[in-house]
Amino acid sequence: MPTEILMPALSPTMEEGTLAKWLVKEGDTVNSGDIMAEIETDKATMEFEAVDEGTIGKILIEEGTEGVKVNTPIAVLLEEGESADDIGESSSGGGATSAKEDDDNSDGDESRGKAEPVAASPAAPVPQPDASPDWPEGTEMQNMTVREAINIAMIEEMRNDENVFIMGEEVAEYQGAYKITQNMLDEFGAKRVIDTPITEHGFAGIGVGAAWGGLKPIVEFMTWNFAMQAIDQIINSAAKTNYMSGGQLGCSIVFRGPNGAAARVAAQHSQDYAAWYSHVPGLKVVQPYSAADAKGLLKSAIRDPNPVIFLENEILYGRSFEVPVLDDFTIPFGKARIARPGDDVTIVSFGIGMTYALEAADKLAEEGVSAEVIDLRTLRPLDYDTVLASVMKTNRCVTVEEGFPVASMGNHLSAVIMERAFDYLDAPVINCTGKDVPMPYAANLEKLALTSTKEVIEAVNKVTYR
Amino acid sequence: MAARKTTKKPNVSADELKKYYRDMLLVRRFEEKAGQLYGMGLIGGFCHLYIGQEAVVVGLEATAEEGDKRITTYRDHGHMLACGMDPDGVMAELTGREGGYSKGKGGSMHMFSREKDFYGGHGIVGANVPLGAGLALADQYKGNDRVTFTYFGDGAANQGQVYETFNMAALWKLPVVFVIENNQYAMGTSQKRSTSTPDIYTRGEAFGIPGEAVDGMDVLAVKEAGAKAVAHCRKGDGPYILEVKTYRYRGHSMSDPAKYRTREEVQKMRDEKDCIEHVRELLLEGKHASEEDLKAIDKEIKDVVNKSADFAKESAEPDVSELWTDIYVEDTREDA
């Protein structure tokens, strides 16, 4: 049967084009790959190649014709043994055929138009916060720094699962640039505690590949600032591939290291990536404040079958907290912690922001204001229910973080609170954030660029109309 | 068609030659069909065809063993077919249907098969190179002797992460064959205009990685060099670079007006160096097959490709619920 040659789509956006020039004529033999015509698309003039071999039986659209719709028959190709007489009625007249094709096209568009729009997110349910304790009452506690907690979490998980290994700059022989990986080389050897060259982009990618190969890498960035070199691998490779592979290629990997401002290290070394990574579907994002959370959440992160961004803080490394003495202690993702119960205002924070939040709550208590302080702990998945239930109780909310103000975690929480608890609010939500400037070096300016306990108290005063 | 000069009589069986002929023809016919479906609007977005380069993947797959892995960039249809992935599933992914390898959620540039150890299909130029080294690191860690074929183009060879990876792969002796598919054009920029060294494989020397250039239009040459590279990696001697000089007949993608090279240049390659024609001549000259035998193979391949196109058209679009699946791997741990 003669084959109709159709007007091709030659770019992702092309709907019609000009048949600029025929390079073959009726009776010519064409082979696969031969250039048959020049076609002007919305982008450029393109050469149109033959796919099948045969003889040009009839040219249906003359050269120079503009506005030829994609999929309109433009010529008829005869196979071996066929003649022009075999050309059926359907392709005998270009005009009639293209009208038919137009109908087909409009049918297609119509059916596309009929597709039901998909809801952007499910309807908002009533918040049901999980208020269960993180460990049983009466559990023995021990004092531990955040640094020790992270170290012991990794050691326990590496003892547990031989596929867990750590790689990064100075993690092995140097014992960690911030001494987080102390003693690990001695216990696990160079196969599982791998010093990398200073090459974040490369080793982040190697980590992701190793995870696909069945291992459970912990990739340490000396600081998250340097992970900017690797962000393509984190987002395009680690976060998206499970989706792009239809669920075949999950990536069980932890990217961790200190995040946010340390002290006097200026703009390139002082940035909070909480909101950046929380933006990305496919990632899980954790930013612990206490040593107990650092330990319990890191153990969960290592066991999680997904890529986890674990944001630590250099200033918090040396702080001590009570940590439960339990054989296998983990904290689940997506469960915030009420660090301090209260009735008058909700202060939501995470990571080092908790320092300001708790200090502000102490001072406010002296003035008779009872603040409920929530530590989000994980930013993705985010425990909206605990926040919403608290705001529905206190009717006021202040968020606290060190990151930049535009598109901050606080902005996002404000939007969710507005959507789901609008009628409960007695005042607009205020976001306390870092200032909208690169971090300055000078001590006085650096202090101004960060948020502060004072700013949190002022915000609480504002939302409580004091 | 001008005869190609074969330097020596190939030491290869009739069955092997027929397999190469069949496998390369499958890639070519499949790609031609994909181009046609693109023209009909059934395939959307970007679509990069492999036509011309078939000998590269078919030659290298001839050296692969069970458990070896492969990963490549976005011109990936040939790699998938050559490693045994089902043409139906590949074509249905191109049309964005539920029967595709990624359930229609990946498309031309993002397809994977755990079963066939095909790790994509990556759209970011150069990104798959460290990923491939990571796969190799996993095998080395587990103590087996599997190798990973990490394919990338002459364009990707200018990305920084490639050299970060060369350094670590050499340092850690990772079992990875870096296959540089040099088709001479990084999109529309010729190698001369983009690359400071004429022989890209020599860049491995700086890292102590052995390498060589191979005629990528000759499947037997590719196979021979591939076998040497694979043996090197399997032995635990670290990475190896093969720069396979090849040529793509079609544009960079479907929407490439190809103004950066002449029609004559393309035609000359097709006439004098075509990899399928080469094997066809070997089969006929060696009396391993008759014209009729080859016609039968042509017909068989045409049927496979037509079937894949029918499947890709008939397979349904993914259910709307698929929008929300596969974002995360479900955590099935009891204590999660």
Side-chain angles (χ1 to χ4, degrees):
Chain A
M1 214 181 80
T3 314
E4 286 180 340
I5 297 170
L6 305 177
M7 181 72 169
L10 293 169
S11 84
T13 47
M14 176 176 168
E15 287 172 5
E16 58 177 43
T18 300
L19 210 164
K21 194 173 175 194
W22 276 111
L23 300 170
V24 292
K25 54 183 191 306
E26 289 177 7
D28 281 1
T29 311
V30 292
N31 281 311
S32 164
D34 287 354
I35 317 288
M36 292 193 297
E38 286 180 2
I39 287 169
E40 280 175 34
T41 73
D42 50 349
K43 279 180 161 178
T45 302
M46 305 272 297
E47 290 170 345
F48 176 41
E49 296 177 356
V51 177
D52 300 310
E53 47 193 39
T55 308
I56 302 291
K58 194 169 175 65
I59 283 176
L60 303 172
I61 303 282
E62 282 179 35
E63 65 180 30
T65 310
E66 290 177 15
V68 182
K69 293 260 188 296
V70 165
N71 278 337
T72 308
I74 55 174
V76 180
L77 189 71
L78 303 172
E79 277 181 45
E80 213 177 318
E82 291 172 349
S83 78
D85 300 337
D86 295 323
I87 300 170
E89 282 177 12
S90 67
S91 48
S92 59
T97 315
S98 65
K100 175 180 162 281
E101 280 296 318
D102 281 353
D103 285 352
D104 286 352
N105 281 349
S106 62
D107 278 348
D109 288 340
E110 212 174 288
S111 66
R112 228 168 301 166
K114 274 183 218 153
E116 287 294 316
V118 179
S121 59
V126 176
Q128 287 175 322
D130 173 3
S132 61
D134 287 335
W135 48 83
E137 218 176 308
T139 301
E140 186 195 338
M141 303 297 281
Q142 85 184 100
N143 207 262
M144 194 183 275
T145 63
V146 171
R147 173 180 283 112
E148 290 163 338
I150 295 171
N151 177 256
I152 193 71
M154 290 193 290
I155 288 173
E156 285 180 11
E157 291 309 297
M158 283 176 70
R159 285 175 186 160
N160 235 347
D161 182 347
E162 62 178 21
N163 285 328
V164 179
F165 73 100
I166 180 162
M167 68 194 298
E169 293 154 10
E170 311 293 4
V171 298
E173 298 202 359
Y174 195 95
Q175 306 285 319
Y178 294 96
K179 298 282 171 276
I180 301 297
T181 51
Q182 214 149 19
N183 305 322
M184 289 175 68
L185 176 64
D186 288 347
E187 179 168 351
F188 301 106
K191 180 188 164 192
R192 298 181 67 193
V193 184
I194 304 172
D195 271 332
T196 64
I198 303 171
T199 175
E200 288 83 5
H201 197 182
F203 72 70
I206 287 180
V208 174
W212 290 341
L215 304 184
K216 295 177 77 66
I218 303 169
V219 173
E220 176 175 310
F221 292 115
M222 193 182 291
T223 88
W224 274 97
N225 302 286
F226 311 150
M228 294 275 267
Q229 303 243 24
I231 199 165
D232 170 67
Q233 291 291 2
I234 296 171
I235 292 173
N236 272 318
S237 303
K240 294 179 182 171
T241 303
N242 194 55
Y243 194 83
M244 293 195 302
S245 65
Q248 290 183 78
L249 231 61
C251 185
S252 182
I253 190 168
V254 177
F255 296 104
R256 50 155 291 272
N259 163 71
R264 307 295 306 284
V265 289
Q268 291 180 339
H269 283 67
S270 309
Q271 190 164 328
D272 177 8
Y273 291 92
W276 287 58
Y277 289 108
S278 296
H279 188 64
V280 182
L283 293 179
K284 294 190 177 182
V285 183
V286 181
Q287 191 166 162
Y289 164 64
S290 74
D293 286 347
K295 184 181 180 192
L297 289 165
L298 184 53
K299 283 166 70 78
S300 292
I302 294 166
R303 294 177 194 185
D304 199 283
N306 295 286
V308 180
I309 304 295
F310 200 84
L311 303 167
E312 301 158 11
N313 186 283
E314 192 192 330
I315 292 167
L316 292 178
Y317 279 154
R319 292 223 190 134
S320 294
F321 295 84
E322 295 285 292
V323 176
V325 181
L326 289 168
D327 277 349
D328 193 21
F329 161 64
T330 59
I331 302 262
F333 288 173
K335 184 167 178 266
R337 178 175 68 101
I338 297 181
R340 178 188 176 115
D343 300 313
D344 299 333
V345 61
T346 301
I347 304 176
V348 185
S349 190
F350 52 91
I352 196 166
M354 285 297 293
T355 313
Y356 310 116
L358 289 170
E359 218 173 73
D362 280 347
K363 292 198 170 148
L364 286 160
E366 289 165 18
E367 296 171 26
V369 178
S370 161
E372 179 146 294
V373 180
I374 295 174
D375 181 354
L376 291 173
R377 307 197 287 195
T378 45
L379 304 176
R380 184 184 259 273
L382 203 151
D383 183 357
Y384 297 105
D385 285 10
T386 295
V387 174
L388 289 164
S390 175
V391 171
M392 286 173 178
K393 178 178 76 175
T394 65
N395 312 111
R396 297 152 211 278
C397 182
V398 169
T399 67
V400 187
E401 69 198 290
E402 280 197 343
F404 297 131
V406 177
S408 62
M409 291 309 299
N411 283 177
H412 173 64
L413 282 169
S414 305
V416 172
I417 292 166
M418 182 182 71
E419 262 180 46
R420 292 181 58 185
F422 185 77
D423 292 337
Y424 291 86
L425 284 177
D426 285 345
V429 179
I430 294 182
N431 303 145
C432 296
T433 65
K435 304 303 177 292
D436 203 11
V437 297
M439 181 63 74
Y441 169 68
N444 64 329
L445 297 183
E446 182 187 59
K447 213 168 165 196
L448 285 171
L450 292 164
T451 190
S452 64
T453 303
K454 182 166 164 276
E455 282 181 4
V456 177
I457 292 170
E458 281 167 7
V460 168
N461 286 340
K462 238 175 160 175
V463 301
T464 53
Y465 303 104
R466 283 162 23 95
Chain B
M1 187 149 297
R4 150 204 301 267
K5 286 210 171 59
T6 307
T7 44
K8 55 179 178 181
K9 195 139 179 77
N11 178 23
V12 55
S13 74
D15 284 351
E16 218 176 315
L17 276 177
K18 275 188 208 160
K19 178 172 164 43
Y20 300 155
Y21 180 75
R22 183 180 275 116
D23 289 354
M24 291 194 293
L25 197 66
L26 172 64
V27 174
R28 180 154 310 174
R29 294 286 170 260
F30 182 95
E31 292 291 66
E32 286 166 356
K33 182 58 81 176
Q36 196 179 30
L37 297 189
Y38 190 93
M40 293 161 75
L42 285 160
I43 296 172
F46 297 124
C47 186
H48 309 88
L49 302 182
Y50 199 69
I51 296 172
Q53 303 182 206
E54 296 89 346
V56 181
V57 288
V58 170
L60 284 163
E61 281 297 337
T63 69
E65 290 177 11
E66 186 74 29
D68 288 343
K69 301 175 175 62
R70 61 281 290 162
I71 185 167
T72 185
T73 57
Y74 49 79
R75 194 178 307 285
D76 55 357
H77 312 162
H79 305 73
M80 293 188 271
L81 297 172
C83 76
M85 285 167 67
D86 181 3
D88 290 7
V90 179
M91 196 68 95
E93 189 59 38
L94 296 182
T95 55
R97 306 302 172 92
E98 67 178 9
Y101 267 96
S102 299
K103 300 193 249 175
K105 300 202 284 192
S108 165
M109 300 185 286
H110 318 111
M111 257 184 271
F112 308 82
S113 169
R114 270 270 188 214
E115 191 203 339
K116 298 288 179 190
D117 281 310
F118 178 74
Y119 288 85
H122 293 271
I124 306 296
V125 174
N128 66 306
V129 178
L131 295 170
L135 289 164
L137 183 136
D139 280 324
Q140 185 191 58
Y141 189 98
K142 290 174 188 162
N144 62 42
D145 67 349
R146 300 300 83 185
V147 306
T148 299
F149 295 90
T150 299
Y151 295 87
F152 55 101
D154 46 301
N158 288 322
Q159 284 278 23
Q161 57 183 322
V162 170
Y163 300 97
E164 297 188 16
T165 304
F166 280 6
N167 181 44
M168 286 181 277
L171 200 60
W172 300 336
K173 289 197 181 306
L174 298 180
V176 52
V177 182
F178 295 111
V179 184
I180 304 170
E181 293 193 64
N182 184 352
N183 66 17
Q184 305 177 39
Y185 293 92
M187 195 166 162
T189 305
S190 69
Q191 194 194 335
K192 253 193 297 222
R193 296 200 298 121
S194 66
T195 305
S196 61
T197 38
D199 288 309
I200 305 173
Y201 75 91
T202 60
R203 291 179 175 186
E205 286 170 16
F207 303 91
I209 305 177
E212 61 188 284
V214 190
D215 178 0
M217 305 304 280
D218 179 346
V219 69
L220 302 177
V222 173
K223 191 210 157 186
E224 193 182 318
K228 189 171 148 197
V230 166
H232 177 90
C233 293
R234 254 196 242 299
K235 245 187 359 220
D237 289 347
Y240 199 97
I241 298 173
L242 291 178
E243 180 184 356
V244 188
K245 311 260 190 188
T246 180
Y247 198 81
R248 86 172 131 71
Y249 298 168
R250 294 297 193 94
H252 163 74
S253 69
M254 290 303 294
S255 46
D256 175 0
K259 294 301 175 209
Y260 47 85
R261 60 183 186 186
T262 62
R263 201 177 287 167
E264 289 71 32
E265 179 186 305
V266 182
Q267 201 54 48
K268 196 168 149 59
M269 286 301 283
R270 294 185 93 124
D271 290 347
E272 295 175 11
K273 294 283 287 176
D274 188 73
C275 58
I276 296 176
E277 207 52 45
H278 172 221
V279 173
R280 188 185 158 81
E281 281 167 18
L282 289 177
L283 279 165
L284 292 173
E285 280 167 15
K287 309 242 181 290
H288 300 304
S290 65
E291 287 278 3
E292 273 62 47
D293 295 339
L294 296 183
K295 261 202 173 145
I297 295 176
D298 294 354
K299 166 86 170 57
E300 178 196 320
I301 295 296
K302 203 172 176 178
D303 291 347
V304 168
V305 169
N306 284 338
K307 179 176 156 284
S308 77
D310 290 342
F311 178 78
K313 287 182 215 166
E314 282 156 20
S315 179
E317 287 192 309
D319 189 84
V320 289
S321 65
E322 284 292 342
L323 181 64
W324 296 104
T325 63
D326 304 323
I327 302 162
Y328 293 98
V329 177
E330 202 185 330
D331 198 345
T332 50
R333 289 178 293 116
E334 279 174 16
D335 58 348

